[in-house]
Amino acid sequence: MRAGSLSQEPALSYIQNHFVCGYRNIYKEPWAGNSSAHPINAGAVTTTNGAGPHNVQIFMLSDDGTVLHCLPGFWDPHDLVSELVLSEKLNNLWKDGSMQAADKSAAFKKLQLEHLAMHSQETTSRSRLQGFDAMYIAHHAKDLPDLIEKPQAISDYERESGTGSMMKGEKMHAYLAPDALKTTDKIMHERMSKMPFTPYEKFNIAAFTNYGTQFYDKNENELEGKFAHQEWKKLDLKKVTTDAEGTAESQKISVVRDKTGSCQFGPTKPMTEQEKMIERFEAASKLLHSQPHNVAALEARAAAAYKLKLYQQAYSDAGWAAYYGSRSATNAQLKMLAERAIASQPSSANKGPLIIQQTVSAKRLMSNAATGSMQ
């Protein structure tokens, strides 16, 4: 996803200029997909929209954690931008204080389905189900009725192929009509239309991503690339994956480079809390460079700065966030706490709130604080 979509234009620039990004590792969640292990230096490839819904979900959240939109699986960078634009419209709708909750929900559904109706033929073509996912749905059609486009086509498939075992490849496609199942873009928008403005912690990810198989066996372990230990080829990804906190189910792994520059599996070092805050600080600074009045970015950087004990920066960012329209009680409290922390510092270090340019670096500020410099 990172190599084939997020790092490609037009998605890359749009995300940099409009969003504050974060991530979480879901490999231990019950809905997460799995596959054979494969070498990290095997080439990344693009695929169809919605492929791998159990492995990746792209959430677009409002600043209070409300789900505006969610894209399961991989998405082409052009189609991704279109959905990001929709999420911004939905955010404006969510923030509209003049509308009642029921009216907002009805408008949410309308926007989702209108957006689906406007999808180009190119987007629809890029949203075909992968063969093994289509096969899985065809054999579980009674449990997944919302994925069926033409019920009669499924009945014909069951009659022609039999239901005793799951057929593969050419045999399955020989019986299943190409338009028997819905495309992934339609599945996504129809399901989202029924989940208006849901808090992230209450969003039913398992149900939302429930189309296709949870185990993807495309012989990844036979791809070109180096395994540090050949026995890892026999394991699935969940056995050799490390979560964001560094807790591995078995062997901790990451990408390392040997003297020739080749990538291999190797030990990983988990991010410290300070490193996470620095990463969050830098991400917010990057967005503020192009959007200096972005309230969400100012609030995010203020929170990270406070955790890093950069109290003057936290006070400044929280203050500017309030000036530009923040009504967050958390931001107001953080500003107060930062002001108290500044007042408690030695008089030589307490030079009052400091307004610093939007491209400020957390590491530079921390270095300046350590040496007593206020540049």
Side-chain angles (χ1 to χ4, degrees), residues 61-81:
L61 308 176
S62 189
D63 55 9
D64 61 358
T66 298
V67 177
L68 304 169
H69 202 14
C70 179
L71 305 179
F74 173 90
W75 284 79
D76 175 88
H78 296 85
D79 300 326
L80 174 58
V81 168

Side-chain angles (χ1 to χ4, degrees), residues 78-186:
H78 296 85
D79 300 326
L80 174 58
V81 168
S82 176
E83 302 299 334
L84 293 173
V85 172
L86 171 62
S87 74
E88 291 181 292
K89 293 180 181 178
L90 292 167
N91 189 49
N92 292 334
L93 174 62
W94 175 240
K95 296 287 189 179
D96 189 339
S98 67
M99 296 180 66
Q100 298 296 318
D103 295 330
K104 287 185 179 183
S105 295
F108 179 99
K109 180 177 181 178
K110 186 171 182 286
L111 282 171
Q112 287 283 353
L113 298 181
E114 284 180 348
H115 193 275
L116 170 62
M118 292 189 297
H119 281 189
S120 66
Q121 183 57 51
E122 289 77 12
T123 295
T124 301
S125 297
R126 287 192 289 262
S127 304
R128 298 291 180 186
L129 284 159
Q130 295 187 99
F132 47 80
D133 282 336
M135 180 174 64
Y136 179 91
I137 295 169
H139 282 264
H140 297 82
K142 292 181 180 179
D143 299 323
L144 301 167
D146 69 316
L147 308 182
I148 310 304
E149 186 70 49
K150 295 184 176 180
Q152 185 58 50
I154 295 298
S155 297
D156 294 342
Y157 166 71
E158 292 174 344
R159 184 181 64 254
E160 295 294 331
S161 66
T163 57
S165 62
M166 294 183 70
M167 306 179 70
K168 294 186 177 180
E170 299 81 9
K171 289 185 179 181
M172 184 275 289
H173 288 292
Y175 296 116
L176 186 63
D179 56 353
L181 305 175
K182 294 178 182 178
T183 54
T184 54
D185 60 332
K186 187 172 186 178

Side-chain angles (χ1 to χ4, degrees), residues 187-254:
I187 294 169
M188 177 270 294
H189 277 294
E190 288 185 347
R191 287 184 171 180
M192 276 305 308
S193 72
K194 300 173 183 177
M195 307 172 74
F197 300 124
T198 305
Y200 176 76
E201 63 273 13
K202 295 183 179 179
F203 193 91
N204 193 336
I205 302 176
F208 184 71
T209 60
N210 185 21
Y211 64 85
T213 179
Q214 278 193 268
F215 189 87
Y216 306 89
D217 188 3
K218 299 179 73 175
N219 298 315
E220 294 99 333
N221 54 354
E222 299 303 325
L223 294 173
E224 291 185 6
K226 226 182 239 187
F227 282 89
H229 303 285
Q230 286 302 306
E231 62 269 21
W232 288 354
K233 293 182 69 172
K234 302 175 184 178
L235 302 177
D236 61 58
L237 281 182
K238 287 193 176 184
K239 295 294 185 182
V240 293
T241 299
T242 302
D243 64 24
E245 286 70 42
T247 304
E249 188 169 321
S250 58
Q251 174 68 43
K252 296 181 180 181
I253 63 168
S254 66

